[in-house]
């Protein structure tokens, strides 16, 4: 199990990562493999004993690593950047780099090269990187095991292969706070289709987050994570799966800051703001909902998320626990309510979930919605937005 610092003393995380490193970061051509991130969050929050059961349930979504093409080299990497057919080439490149150099040095060299593509693949590569770095930071030098270093290679390789910058953006009026900036983000004109169809419509963001020094950048990034997490409590119904990334992506950056040179903290804040704003513009609903308070403790909230089993819900609850205040916990409970569960709730058949079927985006989805929720391709109640997959 995990100790108070979140360090895994059971070896289960390494076992899980070894299982997963024979699989690719995507399925069906572009849908993300969330398992490495979810199992890290489960272990981090004291749920290591549930990991292998969770992986068994997720296994039908895993695909083999794509075949390699040709090696990525230190001199020729630019031509391979953003080429998804080179995912395995990139992963092998980073595995070699991490075998030959300390992981912090590799991260510091490549982080600024990858930041412009932070929104790639719906921000999943940077989120996976944040989970991998958190594990390495909590492990210490002696605990940076081969599976944990390999996980960083997989995360960075995925990011490099899918890297794609946002379109050129103009600056709107400055916002005084992160919450005000998120509220001022203009939605894309046509909120239909997948995230790639939406991000190409971006034209402008409010100005926010000018940091005079690295310390200020960390404070502002913490503010952004808090604001995005809180906003889910009132706006998550716009697209319950996708809007979690407005919080989990900047939190991945925040988790990575301690491993980076301080001169990279301000550009990291700027990239995190761009990611949060992009997801918000793509999926924010026209109307907010009143947040519902919760009396659950942080431990109880994560217990419910783990029992629920949805990967995005687990990861968002993990971020909500990082924020830790009552509205953040209420936001996590909201995610548990909005997203279809993977595992059957108490009082129903145990050990399995609803039968699965393919939704309109190709993602495997529960065949029956829980009360008050939409099945794939239907509008979530009161939102007018269809559910999309990542």
């Amino acid at each position: 199990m995990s100790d108070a610092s979140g360090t895994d003393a059971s070896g289960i995380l390494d076992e899980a990562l070894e299982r997963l490193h024979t699989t690719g970061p995507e399925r069906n051509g572009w849908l993300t493999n969330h398992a490495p991130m979810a199992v890290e969050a489960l272990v981090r929050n004291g749920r290591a004993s549930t990991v292998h059961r969770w992986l068994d349930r997720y296994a039908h979504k895993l695909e083999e690593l794509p075949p390699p093409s040709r090696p990525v080299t230190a001199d020729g990497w630019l031509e391979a950047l953003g080429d998804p057919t080179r995912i395995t080439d990139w992963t092998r490149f980073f595995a070699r780099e991490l075998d030959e150099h300390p992981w912090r040095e590799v991260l510091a060299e490549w982080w600024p090269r990858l930041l412009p593509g932070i929104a790639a693949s719906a921000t999943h590569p940077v989120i996976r990187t944040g989970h991998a770095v958190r594990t390495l930071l909590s492990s210490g030098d002696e605990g940076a095991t081969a599976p944990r270093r390999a996980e960083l290679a997989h995360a960075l390789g995925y990011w490099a292969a899918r890297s794609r910058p946002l379109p050129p953006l103009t600056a709107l009026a400055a916002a005084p706070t992160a919450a005000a900036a998120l509220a001022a983000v203009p939605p894309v004109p046509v909120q239909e289709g997948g995230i790639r169809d939406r991000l190409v419509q971006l034209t402008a963001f409010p100005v926010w987050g000018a940091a005079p020094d690295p310390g200020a950048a960390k404070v502002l990034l913490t503010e952004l994570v808090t604001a995005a997490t809180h906003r889910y409590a009132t706006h998550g119904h716009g697209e319950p799966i996708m809007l979690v990334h407005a919080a989990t992506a900047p939190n991945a950056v925040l988790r990575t800051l301690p491993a980076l040179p301080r001169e990279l903290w301000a550009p990291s804040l700027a990239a995190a703001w761009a990611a949060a704003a992009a997801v918000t513009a793509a999926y924010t609903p026209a109307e907010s909902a009143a947040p519902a308070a919760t009396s659950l403790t942080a431990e109880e909230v994560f217990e419910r998320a783990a029992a629920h089993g949805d990967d995005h819900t687990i990861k968002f609850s993990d971020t909500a626990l990082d924020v830790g205040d009552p509205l953040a916990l209420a936001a996590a409970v909201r995610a548990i309510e909005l997203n279809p569960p993977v595992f059957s709730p108490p009082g129903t058949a145990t050990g399995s979930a609803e039968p699965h079927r393919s939704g309109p985006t190709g993602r495997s989805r529960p065949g029956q919605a829980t009360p008050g929720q939409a099945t794939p391709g239907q509008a979530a109640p009161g939102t007018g937005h269809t559910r999309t997959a990542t």
Side-chain angles (χ1 to χ4, degrees), residues 233-281:
T234 54
H235 292 77
H237 59 273
E239 214 308 324
I241 289 290
M242 295 304 298
L243 282 170
V244 304
H245 304 92
T248 55
N251 198 34
V253 177
L254 181 60
R255 289 170 174 170
T256 305
L257 285 192
L260 296 171
R262 287 173 64 85
E263 60 266 24
L264 295 179
W265 289 15
S268 297
L269 166 64
W273 162 241
V279 174
T280 299

Side-chain angles (χ1 to χ4, degrees), residues 20 23-27 30-34 36-37 63-66 87-88 91 124 128 154-155 157-158 161-162:
L20 289 166
T23 66
E26 295 178 333
R27 67 184 189 280
W30 65 280
L31 298 177
T32 296
N33 171 5
H34 299 87
M37 301 169 270
E63 295 184 0
E64 293 182 356
L65 279 167
I87 283 177
T88 298
T91 301
H124 291 110
R128 185 168 178 177
H154 280 260
Y158 184 26
R162 278 293 184 186

Side-chain angles (χ1 to χ4, degrees), residues 97-333:
E97 291 291 294
L98 290 164
D99 281 343
E100 297 171 5
H101 308 284
W103 68 265
R104 290 174 185 256
E105 290 183 10
V106 176
L107 183 68
E109 179 180 3
W110 282 91
W111 184 260
R113 295 174 177 175
L114 298 176
L115 271 185
I118 192 170
S121 288
T123 72
H124 291 110
V126 72
I127 296 170
R128 185 168 178 177
T129 300
H131 282 277
V133 169
R134 178 170 68 170
T135 294
L136 289 167
L137 285 172
S138 64
S139 301
D141 292 340
E142 293 184 359
T145 60
R148 298 177 189 198
R149 296 194 310 274
E151 175 55 19
L152 182 59
H154 280 260
L156 294 174
Y158 184 26
W159 194 353
R162 278 293 184 186
S163 182
R164 177 182 294 183
L166 293 173
L169 299 166
T170 58
L172 301 176
T177 65
L182 288 169
V185 170
V188 297
V190 182
Q191 286 188 323
E192 296 178 358
I195 192 167
R196 291 177 292 185
D197 300 319
R198 301 178 188 223
L199 295 187
V200 296
Q201 302 177 55
L202 296 173
T203 58
F205 290 157
V207 174
W208 177 81
D213 56 67
K218 183 177 181 180
V219 170
L220 289 169
L221 184 51
T222 303
E223 179 190 342
L224 175 60
V225 173
T226 299
T229 303
H230 288 175
R231 185 175 171 85
Y232 190 93
T234 54
H235 292 77
H237 59 273
E239 214 308 324
I241 289 290
M242 295 304 298
L243 282 170
V244 304
H245 304 92
T248 55
N251 198 34
V253 177
L254 181 60
R255 289 170 174 170
T256 305
L257 285 192
L260 296 171
R262 287 173 64 85
E263 60 266 24
L264 295 179
W265 289 15
S268 297
L269 166 64
W273 162 241
V279 174
T280 299
Y283 295 101
T284 192
E287 297 181 0
S288 63
T294 181
S295 61
L296 297 176
T297 66
E299 183 179 17
E300 290 168 339
V301 167
F302 196 83
E303 181 179 2
R304 289 198 181 186
H308 179 281
D310 171 68
D311 38 33
H312 286 92
T313 303
I314 289 169
K315 293 186 295 174
F316 180 73
S317 298
D318 178 45
T319 283
L321 265 63
D322 282 353
V323 176
D325 62 29
L327 186 53
L329 298 182
V333 172

